[in-house]
Amino acid sequence: MWIRSATKDDLATVRELLVETWHATYDDVYGVEKVNAVTNRYHSLDALKKQLAKPYSEFILADDGADLYGMAYASQKDHKLALLNQLYVHPEKQSNGVGSLLLAEVESAFPGVFMLQLEVIESNQKARRFYESRGFDLTGARTDNWGEANSGLSVLVMERSLSGYELAPCPLPMSPFFSAPSARTCRR
């Protein structure tokens, strides 16, 4: 399995993965009609093309060269915060490390950013456990109607510090052997 950047040629397959994953996860909770409405709006080819073209974002795939296992999309909100907008793994590939690999790649994609934030659908206990096991904490923020008024999709906000990924230089102390500061960087 490889992690790679998505291209325009991948978008139809990404859409198929998103539709299948949403139906497998949410049909029993929200019903087929609502899941169709969500996937048609937020996982359309036009929506995916906009994501692919967005500056300061990362749109990545996990595949084996033939089959798509998962996808993730994140964007940088400002100099301190990145948003994990999507991380989906094909239902048959879940619990095999695909999501962890995608998340690790996203976490390293925004050097200098201090925090990664996401919204998780409240009823998706499996996703909540996944993120909690990887150091994400609930912030206490909640949206009762995610996406549009009266959607009925309640989401919780989670976030994780990205300390260790910053590449900012440290204040450089004077070297006892040279008159110039030592040339080193650190991670804060």
Side-chain angles (χ1 to χ4, degrees):
M1 176 178 57
W2 296 275
I3 304 295
R4 64 178 179 83
S5 295
T7 68
K8 184 177 67 173
D9 294 337
D10 295 311
L11 296 182
T13 306
V14 170
R15 175 169 162 62
E16 289 173 14
L17 171 101
L18 292 168
V19 169
E20 186 171 349
T21 303
W22 262 76
H23 280 290
T25 306
Y26 297 115
D27 277 0
D28 291 341
V29 177
Y30 297 113
V32 173
E33 188 175 312
K34 183 177 288 279
V35 171
N36 283 337
V38 168
T39 57
N40 287 336
R41 180 171 182 181
Y42 296 104
H43 305 142
S44 69
L45 289 178
D46 285 341
L48 295 172
K49 285 176 188 175
K50 287 177 185 174
Q51 289 176 322
L52 191 62
K54 185 175 181 182
Y56 306 106
S57 68
E58 186 77 1
F59 194 145
I60 56 174
L61 308 178
D63 68 17
D64 66 0
D67 295 317
L68 182 61
Y69 292 2
M71 64 79 66
Y73 172 74
S75 58
Q76 188 169 336
K77 182 176 181 178
D78 56 35
H79 68 284
K80 295 180 183 179
L81 180 67
L83 303 173
L84 177 59
N85 304 99
Q86 295 172 307
L87 192 156
Y88 293 100
V89 176
H90 191 281
E92 293 176 6
K93 302 298 181 184
Q94 292 176 6
S95 300
N96 291 310
V98 177
S100 296
L101 288 172
L102 288 165
L103 183 59
E105 182 66 24
V106 165
E107 289 174 343
S108 67
F110 301 98
V113 170
F114 300 104
M115 189 72 62
L116 182 61
Q117 189 177 84
L118 59 91
E119 293 177 326
V120 61
I121 293 180
E122 188 172 21
S123 64
N124 191 341
Q125 295 298 317
K126 187 174 182 180
R128 287 176 58 185
R129 283 191 304 272
F130 170 81
Y131 292 120
E132 286 169 352
S133 73
R134 280 140 187 93
F136 284 83
D137 295 311
L138 291 168
T139 66
R142 172 191 169 121
T143 302
D144 287 324
N145 288 298
W146 172 84
E148 59 189 37
N150 302 313
S151 72
L153 300 174
S154 297
V155 297
L156 303 173
V157 178
M158 301 181 83
E159 61 186 19
R160 177 176 184 269
S161 169
L162 291 181
S163 62
Y165 289 101
E166 304 89 18
L167 300 177
C170 290
L172 299 175
M174 295 298 287
S175 167
F177 303 106
F178 303 102
S179 59
S182 61
R184 66 179 180 85
T185 59
C186 70
R187 297 179 184 267
R188 297 178 195 203

